[in-house]
Amino acid sequence: MKARRGRKTAGRLAAAAAAVLVLAGAAPASATAAQAQPEPEPTYRCLQLERGPEPYSVLGQDCEAFHGAPLQGPVYGRFRIESNRGAVHCEKPPNRRESGFAALPDEVVGWLCDVDELPGGPGDFPGEPARFPLR
């Protein structure tokens, strides 16, 4: 009787071990699938969004940083500034080393920005529909 129980228990353990191995083999495939999705770009969510101090620049005020956006100092690479008035993508202009500058929570400025989203259309954001120069 004990021998049968031992064999049954051993069989169950072997089945459980096989299931663990199958799941472990699937884990790298799942991890690879998760890595295939692009990471969210650095983003600032601001209460105010307006034209910046230079042509094509945008100033966000009263901001929070998300997705690895720096809190202070230069911002490198493409990033996004959002508010309830719309959103812009900013990048590095040819004459600068950085794409913008952050001094959170007070403000973030993007140097070369394109309008991305406008809640009520182009008239809701001060400037041109695609890229807006200073005044």
Side-chain angles (χ1 to χ4, degrees), residues 3-131:
R4 285 187 188 171
R5 284 186 190 165
R7 288 183 191 157
K8 284 183 182 179
T9 303
R12 288 181 186 151
L13 288 174
V20 167
L21 290 175
V22 168
L23 291 175
S30 299
T32 303
Q35 291 173 353
Q37 295 181 10
E39 290 187 28
E41 65 188 334
T43 301
Y44 295 94
R45 292 192 188 128
C46 305
L47 294 180
Q48 296 179 347
L49 192 61
E50 57 191 51
R51 287 184 206 181
E54 298 181 13
Y56 305 108
S57 67
V58 172
L59 177 68
Q61 296 178 315
D62 298 314
C63 305
E64 292 180 86
F66 297 90
H67 310 299
L71 300 174
Q72 300 289 321
V75 182
Y76 296 100
R78 187 172 162 92
F79 69 97
R80 179 177 166 96
I81 305 174
E82 304 175 339
S83 82
N84 62 354
R85 295 184 68 195
V88 296
H89 276 98
C90 302
E91 54 192 42
K92 182 189 100 49
N95 62 337
R96 292 186 178 264
R97 290 182 25 206
E98 68 279 341
S99 308
F101 194 84
L104 266 57
D106 297 332
E107 64 184 25
V108 62
V109 63
W111 299 126
L112 182 61
C113 302
D114 287 319
V115 174
D116 188 37
E117 298 172 14
L118 299 172
D124 280 5
F125 196 84
E128 302 300 320
R131 221 176 228 168

